[in-house]
Amino acid sequence: RTLGFCALALGIAIGRTIWSLDPDGELYIGSISRTFYPEPRPDSRISYLISELIAHGKGPYSPEATALYSPYNFSSRGPLGGLAAAPIVFMGGGKPPIENPEMPFAPFDEQGFMAFRLATMTYCVTVLLSLWELVRKVAGMNAARFVIVLGAATPFLFDELVFTWPKLLAASMVLLGALAIIERRAFLSGLFVGIGYLMHPSALLALSAIGLL
């Protein structure tokens, strides 16, 4: 049942990225890296840029990388999400150019951005699995079922899924860190939070709560 809810959430998110009304103020509107958000946040394609650097053998602080990440840099966001998605981009036949991904939108593009999007969304939906396991351990099976339904029905979840950044994947790692603390495995908990931090810096905020536990 839990996997079913995860698949349902993922399917809805994929559907929204294939067909979506253009919201006013959407960034990169009409391009493959469109954000589906009515606000100017460019983070949605930062993880994809790692695939471009790998494809062309460029370093994270090379002139090409500096130009791509401007006004940020490679260290502004955790690299693991992009590294995890890169093999899916290449296996899908994607050929990322060493430039910003702004070709006209298509459900499946030759630059591999949709493959990157699908990989990132699939990784991020694991936050529901981590949430399930944590609540099941703390409050039992019935509470875990309820919280999965609640989580899968949260609009914020879909917003974060379609935005193609690894914030929910970082949250998934943090939840596993909390689970490890409850199981009295402190080293494993720190390892999970550390991995989450390398997905997205927001995971660092969870250290205070896990520290209290």
Side-chain angles (χ1 to χ4, degrees):
R1 288 173 184 163
T2 303
L3 289 174
F5 276 113
C6 291
L8 179 62
L10 182 60
I12 293 173
I14 291 173
R16 182 177 170 187
T17 63
I18 293 176
W19 183 86
S20 174
L21 299 177
D22 302 332
D24 291 336
E26 179 186 9
L27 198 61
Y28 312 129
I29 188 169
S31 73
I32 54 175
S33 57
R34 56 181 298 195
T35 63
F36 306 96
Y37 261 83
E39 54 185 76
R41 285 193 294 167
D43 304 60
S44 62
R45 66 186 188 186
I46 285 180
S47 294
Y48 171 80
L49 299 180
I50 293 178
S51 294
E52 295 190 0
L53 298 181
I54 293 173
H56 295 271
K58 303 298 181 181
Y61 300 100
S62 63
E64 293 83 358
T66 300
L68 286 172
Y69 283 101
S70 179
Y72 307 102
N73 61 46
F74 182 81
S75 298
S76 297
R77 290 291 181 266
L80 284 189
L83 287 172
I88 309 300
V89 172
F90 301 133
M91 288 169 61
K95 297 177 175 59
I98 194 72
E99 61 185 25
N100 287 318
E102 295 179 353
M103 69 176 292
F105 177 80
F108 292 96
D109 59 278
E110 63 184 28
Q111 294 183 4
F113 196 90
M114 180 55 81
F116 158 75
R117 193 187 293 277
L118 292 175
T120 302
M121 287 193 295
T122 303
Y123 295 151
C124 285
V125 84
T126 63
V127 70
L128 291 176
L129 297 176
S130 299
L131 181 64
W132 156 269
E133 190 62 24
L134 176 61
V135 176
R136 187 184 68 84
K137 187 76 173 181
V138 173
M141 192 70 74
N142 289 334
R145 291 194 183 105
F146 174 74
V147 80
I148 285 299
V149 173
L150 192 64
T154 303
F156 173 79
L157 175 83
F158 296 101
D159 287 342
E160 294 298 300
L161 281 179
V162 301
F163 195 62
T164 59
W165 63 344
K167 200 171 188 178
L168 285 181
L169 184 54
S172 183
M173 295 294 108
V174 167
L175 291 173
L176 291 178
L179 177 65
I181 277 291
I182 291 171
E183 295 177 346
R184 300 183 182 277
R185 294 188 287 176
F187 177 80
L188 186 61
S189 175
L191 189 62
F192 276 130
V193 176
I195 293 172
Y197 174 73
L198 291 176
M199 297 292 182
H200 193 277
S202 61
L204 195 63
L205 299 174
L207 274 182
S208 56
I210 291 181
L212 289 174
L213 289 175

